[in-house]
């Protein structure tokens, strides 16, 4: 099933050693189950996306520093919040270090 994503959703990176949680510190005017709903513009390293432990792009692994230059892909085009597409649990976010960030758990009760 496809769900909209809210703050606190579990994220993983294909090159990262651990998961992190999506941060949505500023409300876009939409709330899901008491938490801020995310949009495809919630893509800022150090604000929305925290490091994923170590990055396996080189050997030995080095500390993860996400390099994010685009918005999340595959947002909900029929559900916009302040002009931005809502983030979905099937959305992905490419990192310039070579990893792909994805939503592991959207934070919905059904997860």
């Amino acid at each position: 099933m496809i769900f909209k994503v809210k703050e606190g959703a579990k994220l993983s990176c294909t090159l990262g050693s651990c998961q992190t949680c999506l941060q949505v510190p500023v409300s876009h005017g939409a709330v899901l189950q008491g938490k801020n709903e995310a949009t495809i513009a919630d893509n800022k390293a150090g604000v929305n996306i925290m490091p994923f432990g170590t990055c396996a792009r080189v050997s030995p692994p080095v500390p993860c520093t996400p390099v994010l230059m685009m918005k999340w892909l595959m947002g909900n085009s029929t559900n916009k919040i302040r002009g931005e597409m809502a983030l979905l649990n099937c959305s992905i976010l490419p990192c310039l270090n070579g990893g792909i960030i994805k939503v592991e758990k959207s934070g919905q009760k059904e997860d």
Side-chain angles (χ1 to χ4, degrees):
M1 297 184 89
I2 296 177
F3 299 103
K4 293 188 284 182
V5 176
K6 64 181 182 176
E7 181 174 21
K10 298 281 186 198
L11 305 177
S12 68
C13 176
T14 55
L15 294 178
S17 64
C18 65
Q19 293 183 344
T20 189
C21 292
L22 178 67
Q23 306 296 313
V24 186
V26 178
S27 175
H28 305 298
V31 176
L32 286 172
Q33 299 168 343
K35 295 200 175 184
N36 292 333
E37 186 174 340
T39 71
I40 62 168
D42 290 317
N43 65 328
K44 317 281 184 300
V47 175
N48 308 114
I49 314 291
M50 299 303 144
F52 295 92
T54 57
C55 181
R57 69 184 156 103
V58 296
S59 185
V62 297
C64 170
T65 305
V67 181
L68 310 170
M69 302 301 290
M70 63 176 54
K71 295 178 182 180
W72 287 86
L73 304 173
M74 298 183 292
N76 186 338
S77 61
T78 61
N79 186 306
K80 293 191 177 182
I81 304 164
R82 292 194 179 162
E84 293 288 356
M85 289 187 273
L87 187 65
L88 299 172
N89 62 331
C90 61
S91 299
I92 60 170
L93 180 61
C95 175
L96 289 183
N97 289 326
I100 301 294
I101 299 168
K102 62 183 180 176
V103 178
E104 290 296 330
K105 290 190 176 253
S106 66
Q108 299 294 339
K109 288 181 180 177
E110 292 85 355
D111 280 349

